[in-house]
Amino acid sequence: MVIVTPRVSLQLLGPAWTRTFRCLWMLEELLQPFHDASSSSKVSSATAAASSPPPFEYSLISSAKPTSKLVRQYVSTGKVPVLLVYHNHNEARGVASDFESQTSDTTTTVNDSLENSRNQERQPDLILSESSAINTYLADHYGGVALGLIPQSLSMQQDDASSRLHGQQRAIYDMVVSCISTELDVQELWMHSKHETMAQHFGHVPAAVSHARYHFVRMNAHLVASYLQQPALAATATTASAASPLDTTAAARLYLLGNVFTAADILYVHCLEWSIAIGWWTTIKQSDQDDSQAQQLRLSNAGDQQTLHDYYKRCRERPAFQRAAQQRKAKPISTTNHHPNSKL
Ligand SMILES: N[C@@H](CCC(=O)N[C@@H](CS)C(=O)NCC(=O)O)C(=O)O
Protein backbone atom coordinates (compact mmCIF):
# COMPACT_ATOMS: atom_id res chain seq x y z
CA MET A 1 0.00 0.00 0.00
CA VAL A 2 1.29 3.42 -0.93
CA ILE A 3 1.07 5.94 1.89
CA VAL A 4 0.74 9.46 0.53
CA THR A 5 2.45 11.92 2.82
CA PRO A 6 2.47 15.71 2.72
CA ARG A 7 5.20 17.15 0.57
CA VAL A 8 6.15 19.80 3.07
CA SER A 9 6.68 19.77 6.79
CA LEU A 10 6.25 23.04 8.64
CA GLN A 11 7.35 23.82 12.15
CA LEU A 12 5.97 26.87 13.87
CA LEU A 13 8.13 28.08 16.74
CA GLY A 14 6.54 30.07 19.54
CA PRO A 15 4.00 29.74 22.34
CA ALA A 16 0.42 30.15 21.17
CA TRP A 17 -0.15 33.03 23.60
CA THR A 18 2.26 35.17 21.58
CA ARG A 19 1.89 36.56 18.03
CA THR A 20 2.53 32.95 17.01
CA PHE A 21 -1.22 32.51 17.36
CA ARG A 22 -1.74 34.46 14.13
CA CYS A 23 0.17 31.84 12.15
CA LEU A 24 -1.38 28.95 14.02
CA TRP A 25 -4.82 30.28 13.06
CA MET A 26 -3.71 30.63 9.44
CA LEU A 27 -2.45 27.04 9.33
CA GLU A 28 -5.82 25.88 10.63
CA GLU A 29 -7.66 27.98 8.03
CA LEU A 30 -5.60 26.32 5.30
CA LEU A 31 -6.50 22.92 6.71
CA GLN A 32 -10.22 23.74 6.99
CA PRO A 33 -11.24 22.12 3.65
CA PHE A 34 -9.65 18.89 4.82
CA HIS A 35 -11.65 18.98 8.03
CA ASP A 36 -14.79 19.73 6.02
CA ALA A 37 -14.04 16.90 3.59
CA SER A 38 -13.67 14.41 6.42
CA SER A 39 -16.88 15.58 8.10
CA SER A 40 -20.23 14.17 6.89
CA SER A 41 -22.07 15.69 3.97
CA LYS A 42 -20.55 19.15 3.66
CA VAL A 43 -19.50 19.62 0.06
CA SER A 44 -18.25 22.83 -1.47
CA SER A 45 -15.78 23.90 -4.09
CA ALA A 46 -13.19 24.09 -1.34
CA THR A 47 -13.86 20.59 -0.05
CA ALA A 48 -13.78 19.27 -3.59
CA ALA A 49 -10.24 20.60 -3.80
CA ALA A 50 -9.45 18.66 -0.64
CA SER A 51 -9.81 15.22 -2.14
CA SER A 52 -6.01 14.93 -2.09
CA PRO A 53 -4.01 15.02 1.15
CA PRO A 54 -3.13 18.41 2.67
CA PRO A 55 -0.05 19.95 1.03
CA PHE A 56 1.70 20.19 4.36
CA GLU A 57 1.77 18.93 7.88
CA TYR A 58 2.70 21.21 10.71
CA SER A 59 3.80 21.05 14.30
CA LEU A 60 3.62 23.85 16.81
CA ILE A 61 6.75 24.06 18.93
CA SER A 62 5.08 25.93 21.75
CA SER A 63 8.00 25.59 24.12
CA ALA A 64 10.15 27.76 21.82
CA LYS A 65 9.86 30.84 23.99
CA PRO A 66 10.70 34.38 22.91
CA THR A 67 14.45 35.13 23.17
CA SER A 68 15.22 31.48 23.98
CA LYS A 69 18.37 29.83 22.73
CA LEU A 70 16.29 27.63 20.49
CA VAL A 71 14.65 30.54 18.70
CA ARG A 72 17.92 32.44 18.44
CA GLN A 73 19.41 29.48 16.62
CA TYR A 74 17.16 30.35 13.74
CA VAL A 75 16.57 34.09 14.11
CA SER A 76 19.14 36.22 15.90
CA THR A 77 16.50 38.54 17.41
CA GLY A 78 14.93 35.61 19.27
CA LYS A 79 11.49 36.91 18.30
CA VAL A 80 8.61 34.57 17.66
CA PRO A 81 6.88 33.39 15.61
CA VAL A 82 9.38 31.63 13.37
CA LEU A 83 8.34 29.30 10.60
CA LEU A 84 10.67 26.51 9.47
CA VAL A 85 9.86 25.00 6.10
CA TYR A 86 11.17 21.58 5.15
CA HIS A 87 10.55 20.19 1.69
CA ASN A 88 10.52 16.44 2.01
CA HIS A 89 8.85 15.91 5.28
CA ASN A 90 10.52 12.60 6.12
CA GLU A 91 13.82 14.32 6.72
CA ALA A 92 12.29 16.84 9.09
CA ARG A 93 10.12 14.48 11.05
CA GLY A 94 12.95 13.47 13.40
CA VAL A 95 13.43 17.03 14.59
CA ALA A 96 9.77 17.62 15.35
CA SER A 97 9.10 14.37 17.10
CA ASP A 98 12.35 14.33 19.08
CA PHE A 99 11.61 17.83 20.21
CA GLU A 100 7.98 17.49 21.08
CA SER A 101 8.55 14.27 22.99
CA GLN A 102 10.68 16.18 25.45
CA THR A 103 8.69 19.35 25.88
CA SER A 104 7.85 18.50 29.47
CA ASP A 105 11.52 18.74 30.36
CA THR A 106 13.24 21.95 31.34
CA THR A 107 13.90 24.54 28.69
CA THR A 108 17.61 23.86 28.81
CA THR A 109 17.16 20.16 28.21
CA VAL A 110 14.75 20.80 25.39
CA ASN A 111 17.03 23.32 23.76
CA ASP A 112 20.07 21.11 24.08
CA SER A 113 18.11 18.20 22.74
CA LEU A 114 16.95 20.16 19.76
CA GLU A 115 20.42 21.51 19.15
CA ASN A 116 21.82 17.99 19.11
CA SER A 117 19.14 16.61 16.86
CA ARG A 118 19.31 19.68 14.68
CA ASN A 119 23.03 19.17 14.10
CA GLN A 120 22.27 15.74 12.80
CA GLU A 121 19.45 16.96 10.59
CA ARG A 122 19.33 19.09 7.54
CA GLN A 123 18.69 22.80 7.78
CA PRO A 124 15.23 24.07 6.98
CA ASP A 125 14.74 25.04 3.36
CA LEU A 126 13.27 28.31 4.51
CA ILE A 127 13.31 30.22 7.79
CA LEU A 128 10.75 32.98 8.11
CA SER A 129 9.98 35.39 10.89
CA GLU A 130 7.41 38.24 11.09
CA SER A 131 3.90 36.99 11.64
CA SER A 132 2.30 38.80 8.71
CA ALA A 133 5.03 37.78 6.27
CA ILE A 134 4.64 34.18 7.45
CA ASN A 135 0.89 34.30 6.89
CA THR A 136 1.25 35.83 3.45
CA TYR A 137 3.75 33.11 2.53
CA LEU A 138 1.52 30.35 3.91
CA ALA A 139 -1.55 31.61 2.08
CA ASP A 140 0.34 32.12 -1.18
CA HIS A 141 1.91 28.67 -1.16
CA TYR A 142 -0.56 26.33 0.50
CA GLY A 143 -3.95 26.96 -1.04
CA GLY A 144 -4.84 30.30 0.49
CA VAL A 145 -5.62 31.97 -2.83
CA ALA A 146 -8.25 29.36 -3.72
CA LEU A 147 -9.78 29.77 -0.26
CA GLY A 148 -9.80 33.55 -0.58
CA LEU A 149 -7.47 33.90 2.40
CA ILE A 150 -5.29 36.16 0.31
CA PRO A 151 -5.96 37.95 -2.98
CA GLN A 152 -3.91 36.67 -5.88
CA SER A 153 -1.10 39.01 -6.86
CA LEU A 154 -0.98 40.35 -10.40
CA SER A 155 0.75 37.96 -12.71
CA MET A 156 3.11 39.59 -15.19
CA GLN A 157 1.80 37.21 -17.82
CA GLN A 158 -1.85 38.08 -17.32
CA ASP A 159 -2.56 41.75 -17.67
CA ASP A 160 -6.27 41.43 -18.37
CA ALA A 161 -8.97 43.31 -16.46
CA SER A 162 -9.68 40.44 -14.07
CA SER A 163 -6.01 39.98 -13.15
CA ARG A 164 -5.62 43.70 -12.68
CA LEU A 165 -8.56 43.71 -10.30
CA HIS A 166 -7.04 40.90 -8.25
CA GLY A 167 -3.71 42.70 -8.30
CA GLN A 168 -5.37 45.80 -6.95
CA GLN A 169 -7.08 43.78 -4.25
CA ARG A 170 -3.70 42.34 -3.31
CA ALA A 171 -2.31 45.86 -2.99
CA ILE A 172 -5.22 46.75 -0.71
CA TYR A 173 -4.51 43.61 1.34
CA ASP A 174 -0.86 44.72 1.69
CA MET A 175 -1.99 48.20 2.67
CA VAL A 176 -4.34 46.94 5.39
CA VAL A 177 -1.81 44.45 6.76
CA SER A 178 0.88 47.09 6.81
CA CYS A 179 -1.46 49.53 8.55
CA ILE A 180 -2.40 47.04 11.27
CA SER A 181 1.20 45.86 11.78
CA THR A 182 2.83 49.24 11.94
CA GLU A 183 0.06 51.24 13.61
CA LEU A 184 -2.11 49.04 15.83
CA ASP A 185 0.57 46.53 16.74
CA VAL A 186 3.81 48.49 16.92
CA GLN A 187 2.82 52.05 17.70
CA GLU A 188 -0.12 51.37 19.95
CA LEU A 189 -0.36 47.92 21.56
CA TRP A 190 3.39 47.44 21.78
CA MET A 191 3.76 50.91 23.24
CA HIS A 192 1.49 49.76 26.09
CA SER A 193 3.55 46.59 26.56
CA LYS A 194 6.76 48.56 26.62
CA HIS A 195 5.83 51.49 28.82
CA GLU A 196 3.26 49.91 31.09
CA THR A 197 3.51 46.11 31.21
CA MET A 198 7.31 46.11 31.02
CA ALA A 199 7.80 49.52 32.55
CA GLN A 200 10.48 48.13 34.85
CA HIS A 201 12.68 47.58 31.79
CA PHE A 202 11.68 50.42 29.49
CA GLY A 203 10.45 53.10 31.86
CA HIS A 204 6.95 54.03 32.88
CA VAL A 205 5.75 56.65 30.42
CA PRO A 206 2.04 57.27 31.00
CA ALA A 207 1.85 60.04 28.39
CA ALA A 208 3.15 57.69 25.68
CA VAL A 209 0.67 54.99 26.70
CA SER A 210 -2.30 57.34 26.75
CA HIS A 211 -1.30 58.78 23.39
CA ALA A 212 -1.00 55.23 22.02
CA ARG A 213 -4.46 54.47 23.31
CA TYR A 214 -5.90 57.56 21.69
CA HIS A 215 -4.40 56.51 18.36
CA PHE A 216 -5.61 52.95 18.83
CA VAL A 217 -9.18 54.25 18.95
CA ARG A 218 -8.51 56.46 15.95
CA MET A 219 -7.11 53.61 13.87
CA ASN A 220 -10.00 51.33 14.77
CA ALA A 221 -12.45 54.02 13.72
CA HIS A 222 -10.58 54.22 10.42
CA LEU A 223 -10.66 50.45 9.87
CA VAL A 224 -14.38 50.27 10.66
CA ALA A 225 -15.37 53.25 8.49
CA SER A 226 -13.02 52.59 5.57
CA TYR A 227 -13.41 48.83 5.40
CA LEU A 228 -15.99 47.06 7.56
CA GLN A 229 -18.75 49.55 6.85
CA GLN A 230 -18.02 49.79 3.14
CA PRO A 231 -19.76 47.64 0.55
CA ALA A 232 -17.58 44.86 -0.80
CA LEU A 233 -15.39 46.19 -3.60
CA ALA A 234 -16.99 46.50 -7.00
CA ALA A 235 -16.28 43.57 -9.25
CA THR A 236 -18.33 41.83 -11.83
CA ALA A 237 -19.60 38.44 -10.78
CA THR A 238 -17.94 36.88 -13.78
CA THR A 239 -14.48 37.99 -12.74
CA ALA A 240 -14.77 36.84 -9.16
CA SER A 241 -14.27 33.22 -8.32
CA ALA A 242 -16.42 31.53 -5.69
CA ALA A 243 -13.81 32.03 -3.02
CA SER A 244 -12.67 35.45 -4.12
CA PRO A 245 -12.74 38.36 -1.70
CA LEU A 246 -14.12 40.38 -4.63
CA ASP A 247 -17.76 39.63 -3.92
CA THR A 248 -20.24 42.31 -4.83
CA THR A 249 -22.94 43.41 -2.50
CA ALA A 250 -24.49 46.70 -1.56
CA ALA A 251 -24.51 45.76 2.13
CA ALA A 252 -21.63 46.39 4.49
CA ARG A 253 -19.02 43.73 4.16
CA LEU A 254 -18.46 40.85 6.55
CA TYR A 255 -14.69 41.13 6.68
CA LEU A 256 -12.03 43.77 6.14
CA LEU A 257 -11.55 43.20 2.43
CA GLY A 258 -15.02 42.06 1.45
CA ASN A 259 -17.25 39.12 2.16
CA VAL A 260 -14.46 36.58 2.29
CA PHE A 261 -12.26 36.15 5.34
CA THR A 262 -8.57 36.90 4.71
CA ALA A 263 -5.24 36.88 6.53
CA ALA A 264 -5.79 40.59 7.23
CA ASP A 265 -8.68 39.58 9.49
CA ILE A 266 -6.45 37.20 11.42
CA LEU A 267 -4.04 40.01 12.14
CA TYR A 268 -6.77 42.48 13.08
CA VAL A 269 -8.69 40.10 15.35
CA HIS A 270 -5.47 39.16 17.12
CA CYS A 271 -4.77 42.84 17.79
CA LEU A 272 -8.32 43.26 19.08
CA GLU A 273 -7.82 40.29 21.41
CA TRP A 274 -4.63 41.90 22.65
CA SER A 275 -6.45 45.17 23.29
CA ILE A 276 -9.06 43.32 25.33
CA ALA A 277 -6.33 41.58 27.34
CA ILE A 278 -4.89 44.94 28.37
CA GLY A 279 -8.29 46.48 29.10
CA TRP A 280 -8.44 48.82 26.11
CA TRP A 281 -11.63 47.35 24.74
CA THR A 282 -14.48 45.22 25.95
CA THR A 283 -17.44 43.90 24.08
CA ILE A 284 -20.41 46.25 23.93
CA LYS A 285 -22.48 44.36 26.42
CA GLN A 286 -19.75 44.38 29.04
CA SER A 287 -18.99 48.05 28.61
CA ASP A 288 -22.66 49.02 28.64
CA GLN A 289 -23.07 47.27 31.94
CA ASP A 290 -20.25 49.14 33.55
CA ASP A 291 -19.95 52.89 33.17
CA SER A 292 -16.57 52.85 34.83
CA GLN A 293 -15.29 51.32 31.61
CA ALA A 294 -16.29 54.40 29.65
CA GLN A 295 -12.63 55.12 29.04
CA GLN A 296 -12.29 51.92 27.08
CA LEU A 297 -12.35 51.81 23.34
CA ARG A 298 -15.26 53.91 22.16
CA LEU A 299 -15.70 54.45 18.50
CA SER A 300 -17.53 57.52 17.31
CA ASN A 301 -20.99 56.03 17.56
CA ALA A 302 -22.84 52.93 18.72
CA GLY A 303 -23.18 51.69 15.13
CA ASP A 304 -19.41 51.62 14.68
CA GLN A 305 -19.04 49.86 17.98
CA GLN A 306 -21.65 47.28 17.05
CA THR A 307 -20.02 46.70 13.65
CA LEU A 308 -16.69 46.00 15.28
CA HIS A 309 -18.21 43.80 17.93
CA ASP A 310 -20.16 41.70 15.41
CA TYR A 311 -17.11 41.39 13.19
CA TYR A 312 -14.92 40.28 16.10
CA LYS A 313 -17.48 37.67 17.14
CA ARG A 314 -17.98 36.44 13.56
CA CYS A 315 -14.27 35.86 13.04
CA ARG A 316 -13.81 34.04 16.33
CA GLU A 317 -16.65 31.68 15.59
CA ARG A 318 -14.74 30.19 12.69
CA PRO A 319 -13.87 26.52 13.21
CA ALA A 320 -10.22 27.21 12.39
CA PHE A 321 -10.06 29.85 15.10
CA GLN A 322 -11.66 27.45 17.53
CA ARG A 323 -9.08 24.77 16.79
CA ALA A 324 -6.22 27.22 17.13
CA ALA A 325 -7.71 28.60 20.34
CA GLN A 326 -7.94 25.08 21.66
CA GLN A 327 -4.19 24.80 21.25
CA ARG A 328 -3.78 28.07 23.07
CA LYS A 329 -5.71 26.31 25.83
CA ALA A 330 -7.69 29.35 26.91
CA LYS A 331 -4.54 31.08 28.08
CA PRO A 332 -5.06 34.81 27.61
CA ILE A 333 -2.60 36.78 25.56
CA SER A 334 0.31 37.42 27.85
CA THR A 335 0.58 40.91 29.22
CA THR A 336 3.90 40.07 30.82
CA ASN A 337 6.18 39.96 27.82
CA HIS A 338 9.78 39.06 28.30
CA HIS A 339 12.47 41.62 28.19
CA PRO A 340 14.50 41.30 24.99
CA ASN A 341 17.68 40.56 26.95
CA SER A 342 16.24 37.96 29.26
CA LYS A 343 17.59 34.46 28.88
CA LEU A 344 14.90 31.86 29.15
N1 LIG B 1 6.78 42.13 14.17
C1 LIG B 1 6.98 40.82 14.76
C2 LIG B 1 7.00 40.97 16.26
C3 LIG B 1 7.49 39.69 16.92
C4 LIG B 1 7.59 39.85 18.42
O1 LIG B 1 7.97 40.93 18.94
N2 LIG B 1 7.27 38.76 19.13
C5 LIG B 1 7.36 38.78 20.58
C6 LIG B 1 6.40 37.73 21.15
S1 LIG B 1 4.74 38.14 20.72
C7 LIG B 1 8.77 38.40 20.95
O2 LIG B 1 9.29 37.43 20.47
N3 LIG B 1 9.37 39.21 21.82
C8 LIG B 1 10.70 38.98 22.26
C9 LIG B 1 11.56 40.19 22.05
O3 LIG B 1 11.05 41.25 21.68
O4 LIG B 1 12.77 40.08 22.23
C10 LIG B 1 5.89 39.86 14.30
O5 LIG B 1 4.79 40.32 13.98
O6 LIG B 1 6.15 38.65 14.23
Side-chain angles (χ1 to χ4, degrees):
M1 189 173 112
V2 177
I3 298 171
V4 183
T5 52
R7 286 164 292 159
V8 175
S9 178
L10 305 173
Q11 292 179 0
L12 182 60
L13 271 58
W17 50 260
T18 64
R19 291 175 179 90
T20 305
F21 184 79
R22 299 167 180 174
C23 307
L24 183 60
W25 185 359
M26 171 56 88
L27 287 164
E28 289 297 335
E29 290 286 350
L30 292 168
L31 292 176
Q32 186 59 41
F34 303 93
H35 286 273
D36 290 344
S38 65
S39 76
S40 62
S41 57
K42 264 191 177 176
V43 176
S44 68
S45 54
T47 56
S51 53
S52 50
F56 63 86
E57 65 171 20
Y58 84 86
S59 51
L60 172 69
I61 313 298
S62 52
S63 48
K65 296 204 173 72
T67 74
S68 63
K69 187 178 168 192
L70 167 59
V71 177
R72 284 184 282 114
Q73 283 175 353
Y74 294 103
V75 178
S76 63
T77 60
K79 285 177 181 280
V80 296
V82 176
L83 182 76
L84 307 180
V85 181
Y86 296 88
H87 297 287
N88 186 345
H89 107 296
N90 286 334
E91 289 179 58
R93 174 164 285 190
V95 177
S97 54
D98 286 359
F99 183 73
E100 283 300 331
S101 65
Q102 298 181 58
T103 50
S104 57
D105 294 338
T106 64
T107 306
T108 311
T109 309
V110 169
N111 289 348
D112 289 349
S113 159
L114 185 86
E115 189 171 28
N116 291 338
S117 65
R118 198 173 152 260
N119 289 338
Q120 296 159 12
E121 299 288 340
R122 62 182 280 198
Q123 291 290 313
D125 293 290
L126 177 65
I127 302 171
L128 273 184
S129 61
E130 291 298 326
S131 55
S132 36
I134 291 172
N135 278 359
T136 297
Y137 164 82
L138 288 171
D140 269 342
H141 288 82
Y142 304 105
V145 172
L147 293 170
L149 289 165
I150 193 165
Q152 193 169 17
S153 53
L154 174 64
S155 152
M156 297 304 281
Q157 279 78 43
Q158 295 174 305
D159 193 19
D160 54 82
S162 168
S163 304
R164 273 200 298 278
L165 200 55
H166 282 93
Q168 286 169 12
Q169 188 71 348
R170 177 64 172 246
I172 293 169
Y173 163 85
D174 287 335
M175 175 174 69
V176 173
V177 166
S178 176
C179 169
I180 298 171
S181 302
T182 60
E183 304 281 341
L184 286 191
D185 183 324
V186 173
Q187 292 202 51
E188 291 143 22
L189 294 165
W190 171 240
M191 203 53 68
H192 174 278
S193 297
K194 206 171 164 186
H195 294 303
E196 189 142 330
T197 312
M198 293 188 282
Q200 74 271 32
H201 300 298
F202 295 105
H204 192 226
V205 189
V209 176
S210 101
H211 195 65
R213 186 172 176 155
Y214 165 76
H215 278 282
F216 182 77
V217 175
R218 214 174 127 231
M219 288 312 299
N220 276 289
H222 163 66
L223 290 167
V224 169
S226 305
Y227 298 96
L228 293 179
Q229 288 181 337
Q230 292 297 313
L233 288 185
T236 61
T238 49
T239 59
S241 72
S244 166
L246 302 174
D247 285 354
T248 48
T249 170
R253 55 184 77 172
L254 297 175
Y255 302 106
L256 281 173
L257 299 192
N259 286 338
V260 176
F261 180 87
T262 69
D265 297 301
I266 292 180
L267 185 59
Y268 189 27
V269 169
H270 189 260
C271 286
L272 290 173
E273 280 195 323
W274 186 353
S275 75
I276 289 171
I278 62 173
W280 275 8
W281 184 48
T282 62
T283 61
I284 292 173
K285 283 194 176 61
Q286 286 168 328
S287 56
D288 282 349
Q289 280 163 10
D290 184 356
D291 283 346
S292 71
Q293 294 175 336
Q295 292 305 309
Q296 293 184 348
L297 176 58
R298 285 285 185 191
L299 300 183
S300 55
N301 61 56
D304 293 357
Q305 188 85 354
Q306 185 74 49
T307 299
L308 192 59
H309 174 259
D310 292 348
Y311 162 79
Y312 180 72
K313 189 162 171 282
R314 183 180 306 126
C315 293
R316 284 164 45 96
E317 281 169 355
R318 297 175 68 79
F321 174 89
Q322 298 293 327
R323 286 196 301 278
Q326 191 66 24
Q327 294 191 61
R328 191 166 55 178
K329 292 203 170 73
K331 274 191 191 167
I333 294 174
S334 173
T335 54
T336 54
N337 285 350
H338 303 285
H339 183 268
N341 296 330
S342 69
K343 298 283 179 286
L344 300 176

